[in-house]
């Protein structure tokens, strides 16, 4: 499935629309900068994402990109994709598994470790770029 | 036939401008970073960190056992030595935990089926050096970390000698 030339097969996050930027300006979205390569090709080092802070009524789905606290380093924020949901636990995965660690090593993380859900990506790569 | 250059779409222009804006903002108000990597941006793992902390545990154990408690100021020294042994044993556990959870992958477990048990016992041994002042306990901890050192470098296909800072 393609939207504006960008494949949504692997990612449920689309490039940012004006609406998302307006929401960011209204402080309803939070800006993060991506460091590292474990989420390539969808996210590359230097990309920005906008994310909505997790609320009680927000439902996570498999495929969602999320910002989470590292289970063993509370001060480190990581960005991963939800690969499985299991009651109060979430399995998170790297899109580029050779370059990252995730629930394959840690096991599932508690829901409380998930801090935000990514709503869009801001990148120098445009929707029609390869 | 000349090659025509594709003109950017309005969306592409808007995206580029927004990214530029965010990059400008980042100079004065950097966005929090989210790591799409392992333990941190560097991704460097080495059992040497655990070895160094364990060597400090052994060193402090020796110093505690050698301390003359009747000497002036000895109790102050004793408390400091114990505190350092405690923190270095805890650091050993932390470094082992990082290797165990963040470096080793399922394929390593296939090659070393006793990997979890190896780490579990090493972490418990680090705790044992905290509750006792025992050269045997401290030496056993180093021996177990040497085993982990050999497993770690085997996963990288390299032979790295086990060298102690204080042989």
């Amino acid at each position: 499935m393609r939207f504006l030339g960008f494949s949504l097969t692997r990612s449920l996050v689309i490039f940012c629309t004006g609406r998302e930027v307006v929401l960011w300006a209204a402080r309803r979205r939070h800006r993060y900068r991506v460091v590292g390569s474990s989420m390539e090709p969808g996210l590359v080092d230097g990309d920005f994402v906008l994310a909505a802070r997790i609320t009680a009524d927000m439902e996570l789905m498999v495929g969602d990109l999320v910002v989470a606290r590292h289970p063993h380093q509370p001060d480190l924020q990581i960005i991963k994709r939800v690969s499985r949901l299991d009651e109060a636990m979430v399995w998170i995965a790297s899109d580029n598994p050779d370059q990252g660690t995730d629930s394959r090593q840690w096991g599932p993380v508690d829901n409380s470790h998930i801090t935000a859900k990514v709503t869009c990506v801001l990148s120098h790569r445009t929707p029609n770029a390869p | 036939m000349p090659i025509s250059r594709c003109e950017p779409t309005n969306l592409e222009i808007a995206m580029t401008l927004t990214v530029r804006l965010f990059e400008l903002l980042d100079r004065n108000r950097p966005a929090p970073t989210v790591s799409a990597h392992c333990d941190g941006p560097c991704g460097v793992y080495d059992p040497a960190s655990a070895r160094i902390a364990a060597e400090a545990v052994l060193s402090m154990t020796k110093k505690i056992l050698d301390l003359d408690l009747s000497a002036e100021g000895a109790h102050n020294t004793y408390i400091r030595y114990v505190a350092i042994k405690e923190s270095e044993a805890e650091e050993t556990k932390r470094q082992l935990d990082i290797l165990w959870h963040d470096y080793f992958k399922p394929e390593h477990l296939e090659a070393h089926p006793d990997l979890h048990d190896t780490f579990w016992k090493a972490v418990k041994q680090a705790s044992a050096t905290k509750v006792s002042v025992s050269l045997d306990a401290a030496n056993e901890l180093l021996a177990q970390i040497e085993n982990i050192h050999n497993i770690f470098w085997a996963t990288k296909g390299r032979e790295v000698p086990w060298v102690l800072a204080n042989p």
Side-chain angles (χ1 to χ4, degrees):
Chain A
M1 173 182 164
R2 298 190 77 83
F3 177 75
L4 296 179
F6 179 63
S7 171
L8 294 181
T9 306
R10 281 188 59 84
S11 172
L12 298 178
V13 173
I14 63 173
F15 286 98
C16 290
T17 61
R19 176 178 178 273
E20 286 294 317
V21 177
V22 168
L23 284 172
W24 166 75
R27 301 188 181 211
R28 290 179 59 189
R29 296 288 186 264
H30 301 273
R31 181 174 60 104
Y32 298 92
R33 186 166 58 83
V34 176
V35 174
S37 57
S38 76
M39 295 301 288
E40 288 181 355
L43 294 175
V44 301
D45 190 281
D47 279 350
F48 289 98
V49 299
L50 296 181
R53 294 275 165 84
I54 294 291
T55 57
D57 60 343
M58 192 181 287
E59 188 182 348
L60 287 178
M61 293 194 302
V62 171
D64 282 345
L65 276 173
V66 293
V67 176
R69 280 183 290 114
H70 191 290
H72 303 298
Q73 294 189 70
D75 293 335
L76 180 66
Q77 294 201 94
I78 56 178
I79 183 164
K80 299 291 176 189
R81 190 179 300 280
V82 175
S83 60
R84 200 169 100 196
L85 294 164
D86 187 11
E87 294 183 0
M89 306 295 281
V90 182
W91 293 77
I92 52 178
S94 309
D95 284 353
N96 186 6
D98 289 339
Q99 291 295 319
T101 54
D102 45 49
S103 288
R104 292 171 297 159
Q105 288 82 22
W106 313 323
V109 299
D110 191 85
N111 275 341
S112 62
H113 280 83
I114 309 298
T115 57
K117 178 176 170 178
V118 175
T119 53
C120 69
V121 176
L122 275 161
S123 173
H124 282 293
R125 296 165 301 128
T126 60
N128 291 315
Chain B
M1 179 177 181
I3 297 172
S4 61
R5 180 178 172 276
C6 296
E7 292 299 325
T9 64
N10 287 338
L11 177 61
E12 288 168 345
I13 293 170
M15 285 283 293
T16 299
L17 287 175
T18 310
V19 171
R20 292 268 184 258
L21 168 66
F22 275 30
E23 286 173 343
L24 278 172
L25 264 175
D26 235 38
R27 291 181 195 176
N28 293 317
R29 295 183 64 183
T33 56
V34 279
S35 178
H37 210 298
C38 321
D39 208 36
C42 68
V44 176
Y45 297 98
D46 194 322
S49 301
R51 172 185 58 77
I52 291 166
E55 281 202 64
V57 170
L58 176 61
S59 171
M60 298 319 297
T61 301
K62 288 178 181 175
K63 287 179 183 297
I64 292 169
L65 290 170
D66 290 344
L67 193 59
D68 176 7
L69 288 174
S70 64
E72 185 178 344
H75 286 91
N76 182 71
T77 303
Y78 177 82
I79 289 169
R80 292 183 66 229
Y81 284 179
V82 169
I84 293 169
K85 178 171 75 74
E86 184 85 5
S87 69
E88 292 295 337
E90 196 61 27
E91 177 64 13
T92 305
K93 291 170 69 176
R94 191 179 80 88
Q95 292 297 336
L96 288 172
D97 192 49
I98 289 171
L99 284 175
W100 188 10
H101 286 109
D102 293 343
Y103 170 74
F104 284 98
K105 294 178 170 54
E107 56 266 33
H108 301 147
L109 191 59
E110 289 174 12
H112 304 276
D114 60 344
L115 191 67
H116 288 326
D117 192 60
T118 296
F119 269 93
W120 181 63
K121 285 177 177 168
V123 173
K124 288 186 79 65
Q125 189 60 34
S127 290
T129 64
K130 293 165 72 176
V131 301
S132 64
V133 184
S134 164
L135 281 177
D136 286 343
N139 280 317
E140 175 60 24
L141 175 61
L142 263 181
Q144 293 192 22
I145 292 174
E146 182 179 0
N147 184 31
I148 289 170
H149 162 99
N150 293 331
I151 293 172
F152 175 89
W153 289 111
T155 66
K156 289 184 172 283
R158 292 168 57 186
E159 282 190 30
V160 175
W162 171 256
V163 178
L164 296 176
N166 286 339

